[in-house]
Amino acid sequence: MERKSIFKTNFAETSSPKDPENLFHTLRERAPEIKHLWSQQADVLRTYHKKHLDTSDIAIELPTGTGKTLIGLLIAEWRRRARSERIAYLCPTRQLARQVHEQAKSYGIQTSVLIGKQRDYPLRQFSDYQSSSTIAVTTYSAIFNVNPRIEDAQTLILDDVHAGENFIASMWSVEIARSEVSLYFALLNLLRDAIDTSVYNDLSDDEWEPRKALLIELVPGAVARCQASAIRDLLDEYLQPKTSPKYAWNTIKNHLEACNIFISWDGFLIRPFIPPTQVHPAFSQAKQRVYMSATLGAGGELERLAGIGNIKRIPLPQNWDKRSSGRRLFLMPGLSVAEDDTLHVLGSAVQAFKRGLILTPSWHDPDGKVAVNALDSRGISLLNANDIEDSIDPFIKSENSALVLSRYDGLDLSDETCRCVALVGLPNGTNLQERFMWSRIAAHALLRNRVLTRFIQGVGRCTRSDNDYALVLVIGHRLVEFLLKKENQRILNPELQAEMLFGIKNSRDKESDHFAALWEAFSDQDDEWKEAEGAIVAQREGFSQQEDPISQRLQSVVADEVSYLYARWGDNLGRALECARKVADGLGGEETKAYRAWWYYLSADSAMALQEATGDDIYRSTALDLLNRASACCLGIKWFARLGRANAIETTNAKRENETTAAAVEAIRQRLTEWRPVGKYFERKVDEIKQNLRSTEYKAFHLGLKGLGEMLGFEADLPETDAAPDCLWSLDCIYVSHEAKSGQTPSNPLSVNDVRQAASHEAWVRANCPLEKDAEIVCLIESPRITIAREAITYAKTLYHVTPNQLEELFDEIATVLRRVRSKITDFTDEKLIEELYREINRENLTPEKIVKRLTLQRVSTMKINGGNSVK
């Protein structure tokens, strides 16, 4: 009998394949059904091996279902074998890491799954990674933390890189939730002077309303620097040890001046604009970083999320720009029916398909909250990311259920696993920084490609191969409006353009119950659907994907953006000012005005920091000039107008008026979205307001006043407390109270009681509203009466009189403006639309100040006395 040695002696190195493509053919343990590489996989691997073996940062884009994971694993395995490198393959979640591990086994590639608590990594598997015996498959969080155990990988494969965006940034992002009550309010009160009084009061109010989702403030850099010491003391005291906020705080607290502080009703976010990944050795010391995604996007967003100034790209294989996996039926019920009916369609679809995937920007998104509540009310079981963190099985095995996620990529729900996906809400606010950039300063040019990337990735979650198919519901007015814009459609691939056009056409002029017939035919793949399929294919052949000139401009400045970040991080203020100015100067053109204004602000902030550091007033002059440039770029954006006024040497009435007009423009723009960019809803809403303004029934007239105020850009309320106005319009420092007497007969005079009621409103406003020092309170009495009782004159000194006919004239003028602007929504960029709206309300004298002047032409105290002459 042959004696078996107690020693291991078979450890000779196997020969290394010459390139990743040849490596595939040596993988003898791969599953028998995996016989060969697809042509696009081979093309990408050849380009990589020929041109990018030593490129430090390389990005690979392959559409869903084209074998991206195998490419990443072959690159990783080849570098492990040929160069004896330690390789870490990063996934967004533990579930996806296990999924990649199983795929690697089917390819015959050995991996070590290193997930969960670092101290609990299996010793054997971790040592296999350390000795370059296997590839470590792990999560982004395993690398991006303050003390990573995987700290010396020589190659990093970053899979589904856009899904890893927040994991990367989280290492330098301190998030303080409102639930941390003591810390939230301590920080809010510390920074109170940087916030509008009305916004501060809304943030202090514990009752959540959908409009509060848009309340996002950025603390100006000068204020943050002034309070930096107090902020450090506060967070050092309150943040609990061994928590994510504490770890992140330790990475940024000595660089607080390089960070932005965002405030919302939900919480605070403190972070640098771009994550400084190059100061993190576990990331920066890798010889090569390979970024992979189904859609990389354009415009430099990959560089911004990775903190790298220059990332080379391997382009899509030839002719793949026209393709996407599977077939999708897009339906947009909001083009035809009201919100409640839209939610009915969503619930019916989830139940018809047994389960549905719901993708929403965050749990705080107002559209997402409403949709989730509607599904819950129908008895549909709701699952979230925690339920599938380790396995997708809880969702696959469920029925009458919806999986609600804020992750748009990295999820594989093929075939019967799930055939219904709903995108609920515009995917533009996965963190407070994004929400601020979109909703407060309208930097849509920056985020447009990011939104489109998430949209493309989201709609591909349930169509994972050529023969797969899924229903895609698009829910939320902002998302529908975004997708209707021609400039957004044109940069989609032709397949998606055709599917979108088909969905838009077939979603119009429908009742809520009509949509089921469409998805039933699609699901059955019957003769009617075959005819529809032919129409989509024919449309696809007539489309082409257009290059986006805005993206090219954004890409051209991203290296300077990243340089600015590291200059600020290293406290090199002169270099930061130089880089920020280069970015602003490089962002020419109408479409990037808002983002250019942002970089003028960052330039001004660097100049102001230089003045504070050196005492040289030349930098203050530079800062003021840059702030004026920022304001001039975006006349319709309140945040820039307010910042310019706050830092001006002398505040003029014109500056204040510009700020108030900008606030009105923002509100009107939001109203146009809520009242639908296309379809009949807008005209129904406008006609309803008009009819209410003509009504002599007091409740209807009050609703008409509220609607008119909203059309004009005011926040309009119908207070219900004793002695309150019938309606109150407010905007910045302007308050207009209304005492409505539309049911009165013209022949009689205004009485003492009428006038006393209206005269009491000023005191009510002062007692119940958050007033700035320079607040203007205007008290109106609306009545068809044109005379006043003599005994009422005494109480009428501060009142103004308006007739319902005058209000109707004002309504007609603003309705005409809204119709003109609305007709351009799908043709104009958002930045251009805001400019157009600003120009229109100025041209028609419908700015808030002009409206107030118009409503205060007739003092009640000078009205004609009943039976006599007017008072002089």
Side-chain angles (χ1 to χ4, degrees):
M1 183 176 179
E2 184 178 352
R3 185 176 67 85
K4 188 174 181 180
S5 172
I6 63 173
F7 295 103
K8 295 178 180 179
T9 58
N10 184 20
F11 43 79
E13 292 290 336
T14 58
S15 60
S16 299
K18 66 178 184 178
D19 57 49
E21 184 182 358
N22 275 280
L23 168 63
F24 173 81
H25 301 292
T26 70
L27 300 175
R28 302 302 179 196
E29 295 180 15
R30 68 177 185 268
E33 65 270 17
I34 304 173
K35 293 180 167 47
H36 50 73
L37 288 171
W38 293 336
S39 61
Q40 72 274 6
Q41 293 171 322
D43 289 343
V44 169
L45 290 172
R46 288 168 194 161
T47 301
Y48 170 81
H49 189 260
K50 183 177 180 180
K51 297 182 178 180
H52 297 294
L53 282 181
D54 297 307
T55 301
S56 59
D57 293 274
I58 180 69
I60 297 173
E61 176 178 2
L62 273 177
T64 298
T66 54
K68 170 173 58 68
T69 302
L70 176 55
I71 288 176
L73 286 168
L74 286 173
I75 290 172
E77 181 71 355
W78 184 83
R79 294 185 74 92
R80 184 190 71 79
R81 291 192 189 186
R83 299 192 171 185
S84 300
E85 290 181 353
R86 290 179 296 278
I87 315 290
Y89 190 112
L90 310 187
C91 303
T93 67
R94 296 199 301 262
Q95 178 260 322
L96 289 170
R98 289 195 174 96
Q99 181 176 299
V100 167
H101 172 66
E102 292 302 317
Q103 287 178 282
K105 281 201 296 187
S106 71
Y107 301 143
I109 295 173
Q110 296 299 309
T111 61
S112 296
V113 181
L114 302 176
I115 57 179
K117 294 181 178 178
Q118 295 186 135
R119 65 173 179 268
D120 296 334
Y121 286 168
L123 183 61
R124 170 64 184 273
Q125 293 191 37
F126 186 70
S127 66
D128 283 347
Y129 153 73
Q130 287 183 307
S131 62
S132 302
S133 300
T134 62
I135 299 164
V137 178
T138 188
T139 61
Y140 281 88
S141 299
I143 297 295
F144 291 99
N145 68 74
V146 295
N147 188 27
R149 194 170 176 196
I150 302 174
E151 61 177 352
D152 55 0
Q154 292 158 305
T155 294
L156 293 172
I157 310 290
L158 293 89
D159 200 2
D160 292 316
V161 64
H162 285 92
E165 176 181 359
N166 284 332
F167 293 109
I168 294 171
S170 66
M171 186 173 165
W172 297 276
S173 300
V174 176
E175 296 184 79
I176 299 164
R178 189 185 185 89
S179 57
E180 299 290 333
V181 177
S182 298
L183 178 53
Y184 177 89
F185 283 99
L187 200 50
L188 181 65
N189 289 324
L190 180 63
L191 298 169
R192 180 173 183 170
D193 290 344
I195 310 169
D196 278 342
T197 302
S198 60
V199 173
Y200 172 81
N201 281 275
D202 275 331
L203 295 176
S204 299
D205 183 7
D206 283 336
E207 186 175 349
W208 189 87
E209 303 170 42
R211 67 179 180 82
K212 291 182 178 178
L214 299 176
L215 294 178
I216 306 159
E217 290 290 325
L218 170 63
V219 178
V223 176
R225 288 190 295 277
C226 182
Q227 298 288 356
S229 179
I231 294 171
R232 288 190 182 96
D233 291 343
L234 188 64
L235 268 61
D236 281 341
E237 175 67 24
Y238 273 88
L239 292 179
Q240 297 299 312
K242 297 185 179 180
T243 62
S244 295
K246 184 67 172 181
Y247 289 133
W249 173 239
N250 288 335
T251 67
I252 69 170
K253 72 176 182 179
N254 293 325
H255 304 273
L256 189 58
E257 292 78 2
C259 296
N260 296 310
I261 303 176
F262 300 95
I263 311 172
S264 76
W265 191 91
D266 305 313
F268 281 80
L269 171 64
I270 308 174
R271 59 162 289 179
F273 181 57
I274 294 170
T277 57
Q278 289 295 287
V279 304
H280 184 47
F283 179 77
S284 63
Q285 290 179 8
K287 295 178 180 178
Q288 186 172 72
R289 294 170 287 269
V290 181
Y291 309 87
M292 300 199 306
S293 180
T295 46
L296 289 173
E301 63 260 31
L302 180 60
E303 284 83 353
R304 291 183 191 92
L305 75 86
I308 300 291
N310 185 21
I311 298 176
K312 302 293 185 183
R313 284 165 168 75
I314 295 178
L316 280 170
Q318 192 172 8
N319 298 324
W320 272 86
D321 58 337
K322 280 186 171 285
R323 297 184 55 183
S324 58
S325 292
R327 172 63 69 224
R328 289 157 289 252
L329 170 61
F330 284 92
L331 293 178
M332 304 179 185
L335 289 176
S336 296
V337 300
E339 182 179 65
D340 288 347
D341 291 325
T342 296
L343 297 174
H344 170 74
V345 173
L346 172 62
S348 298
V350 171
Q351 291 178 320
F353 285 90
K354 297 184 180 180
R355 64 185 71 88
L357 172 65
I358 314 298
L359 300 178
T360 187
S362 75
W363 284 90
H364 304 300
D365 181 78
D367 290 326
K369 279 189 174 185
V370 171
V372 167
N373 290 338
L375 293 172
D376 188 43
S377 69
R378 292 178 69 114
I380 295 171
S381 300
L382 300 174
L383 293 83
N384 60 38
N386 292 331
D387 297 310
I388 62 160
E389 179 61 34
D390 292 312
S391 171
I392 200 71
D393 286 349
F395 177 59
I396 295 175
K397 295 176 180 178
S398 67
E399 289 194 6
N400 196 36
S401 65
L403 175 59
V404 184
L405 298 176
S406 58
R407 190 177 80 227
Y408 290 85
D409 54 0
L411 198 64
D412 188 347
L413 299 174
S414 59
D415 301 320
E416 297 302 326
T417 301
C418 185
R419 294 207 184 275
C420 174
V421 57
L423 274 75
V424 181
L426 187 70
N428 68 337
T430 60
N431 58 59
L432 280 185
Q433 177 170 285
E434 270 193 22
R435 284 164 60 187
F436 174 83
M437 299 296 287
W438 187 277
S439 65
R440 291 308 311 279
I441 66 170
H444 300 161
L446 169 70
L447 298 174
R448 183 174 65 149
N449 271 289
R450 199 173 300 182
V451 169
L452 281 169
T453 293
R454 289 173 186 154
F455 170 75
I456 294 166
Q457 291 170 335
V459 302
R461 292 307 92 209
C462 299
T463 46
R464 311 300 294 169
S465 65
D466 286 346
N467 297 323
D468 211 348
Y469 60 92
L471 169 68
V472 179
L473 292 172
V474 179
I475 309 292
H477 307 318
R478 292 190 305 150
L479 177 56
V480 170
E481 180 188 310
F482 179 84
L483 294 173
L484 288 174
K485 287 183 178 293
K486 299 294 190 296
E487 76 268 17
N488 296 334
Q489 292 179 14
R490 291 182 189 120
I491 56 179
L492 295 172
N493 73 46
E495 190 95 51
L496 264 177
Q497 288 187 54
E499 289 176 334
M500 288 285 299
L501 179 63
F502 183 86
I504 291 167
K505 296 290 187 185
N506 282 279
S507 296
R508 286 180 170 153
D509 303 317
K510 295 282 192 298
E511 300 296 331
S512 60
D513 293 336
H514 294 170
F515 289 95
L518 298 175
W519 71 59
E520 286 168 5
F522 174 65
S523 182
D524 293 341
Q525 300 283 292
D526 61 14
D527 289 340
E528 284 199 64
W529 174 253
K530 288 176 183 175
E531 183 180 348
E533 172 74 21
I536 293 172
V537 172
Q539 286 282 353
R540 179 191 68 194
E541 297 309 310
F543 287 131
S544 61
Q545 186 170 12
Q546 296 185 8
E547 289 192 10
D548 182 12
I550 299 175
S551 293
Q552 294 171 6
R553 206 170 304 137
L554 290 168
Q555 183 74 48
S556 71
V557 299
V558 72
D560 288 320
E561 294 182 47
V562 174
S563 295
Y564 160 84
L565 172 276
Y566 289 109
R568 282 305 296 259
W569 194 260
D571 205 29
N572 186 345
L573 296 174
R575 173 67 174 156
L577 174 58
E578 175 190 345
C579 292
R581 284 296 302 270
K582 283 180 69 177
V583 175
D585 293 342
L587 289 168
E590 294 289 314
E591 297 86 353
T592 56
K593 277 187 172 181
Y595 195 46
R596 182 159 75 249
W598 168 251
W599 278 98
Y600 277 134
Y601 158 69
L602 293 179
S603 303
D605 188 56
S606 297
M608 196 66 75
L610 274 167
Q611 191 276 331
E612 294 163 10
T614 65
D616 190 340
D617 283 340
I618 190 65
Y619 291 118
R620 177 171 175 79
S621 298
T622 299
L624 293 177
D625 173 63
L626 292 165
L627 288 175
N628 285 332
R629 294 186 187 209
S631 297
C633 280
C634 297
L635 293 174
I637 305 297
K638 178 189 172 185
W639 192 82
F640 290 118
R642 180 173 180 261
L643 191 68
R645 180 176 63 84
N647 287 277
I649 296 172
E650 181 181 353
T651 299
T652 64
N653 289 336
K655 285 184 178 291
R656 182 82 222 197
E657 187 170 345
N658 285 342
E659 183 180 339
T660 308
T661 302
V665 167
E666 289 181 13
I668 296 170
R669 176 68 184 92
Q670 177 67 19
R671 203 74 61 222
L672 286 173
T673 296
E674 292 171 356
W675 292 355
R676 317 285 177 84
V678 296
K680 301 175 182 177
Y681 185 83
F682 174 85
E683 288 299 339
R684 286 202 301 263
K685 186 72 177 176
V686 169
D687 186 63
E688 176 188 303
I689 294 169
K690 184 171 186 175
Q691 296 308 317
N692 284 334
L693 285 171
R694 288 176 169 178
S695 177
T696 56
E697 196 278 322
Y698 76 95
K699 287 186 178 179
F701 189 74
H702 295 172
L703 289 171
L705 283 173
K706 183 177 187 294
L708 176 60
E710 290 173 341
M711 291 173 71
L712 293 166
F714 290 90
E715 184 178 329
D717 296 301
L718 301 175
E720 296 179 355
T721 59
D722 291 341
D726 293 324
C727 182
L728 180 69
W729 296 353
S730 59
L731 184 70
D732 280 2
C733 292
I734 298 174
Y735 294 82
V736 181
S737 73
H738 301 263
E739 182 63 35
K741 303 294 181 184
S742 62
Q744 291 181 335
T745 55
S747 57
N748 294 326
L750 292 176
S751 69
V752 171
N753 284 340
D754 295 337
V755 174
R756 276 179 170 171
Q757 276 183 299
S760 69
H761 292 163
E762 180 175 352
W764 186 92
V765 170
R766 292 192 183 280
N768 292 276
C769 298
L771 302 182
E772 301 274 1
K773 292 178 182 178
D774 55 349
E776 180 182 5
I777 303 173
V778 175
C779 297
L780 303 180
I781 184 166
E782 284 100 359
S783 171
R785 294 178 174 175
I786 57 174
T787 62
I788 185 171
R790 183 178 296 277
E791 58 271 23
I793 295 294
T794 305
Y795 308 99
K797 292 180 181 178
T798 60
L799 298 182
Y800 298 91
H801 174 253
V802 179
T803 68
N805 286 341
Q806 288 174 299
L807 292 176
E808 195 171 334
E809 289 173 6
L810 184 59
F811 164 85
D812 288 337
E813 292 172 31
I814 188 63
T816 299
V817 167
L818 296 189
R819 288 189 181 100
R820 281 203 299 260
V821 175
R822 180 176 176 265
S823 70
K824 302 171 183 176
I825 282 181
T826 58
D827 295 319
F828 278 11
T829 64
D830 288 285
E831 290 88 340
K832 192 172 182 180
L833 196 71
I834 288 170
E835 276 196 10
E836 181 75 3
L837 190 51
Y838 185 90
R839 187 164 43 246
E840 284 274 1
I841 67 171
N842 271 282
R843 185 176 65 191
E844 300 300 328
N845 294 316
L846 292 171
T847 63
E849 282 80 2
K850 299 267 178 68
I851 291 166
V852 168
K853 287 179 182 177
R854 180 170 172 173
L855 296 174
T856 55
L857 292 175
Q858 174 68 69
R859 285 186 176 273
V860 173
S861 61
T862 63
M863 290 174 67
K864 185 178 180 181
I865 297 173
N866 188 45
N869 298 320
S870 61
V871 178
K872 300 296 183 185

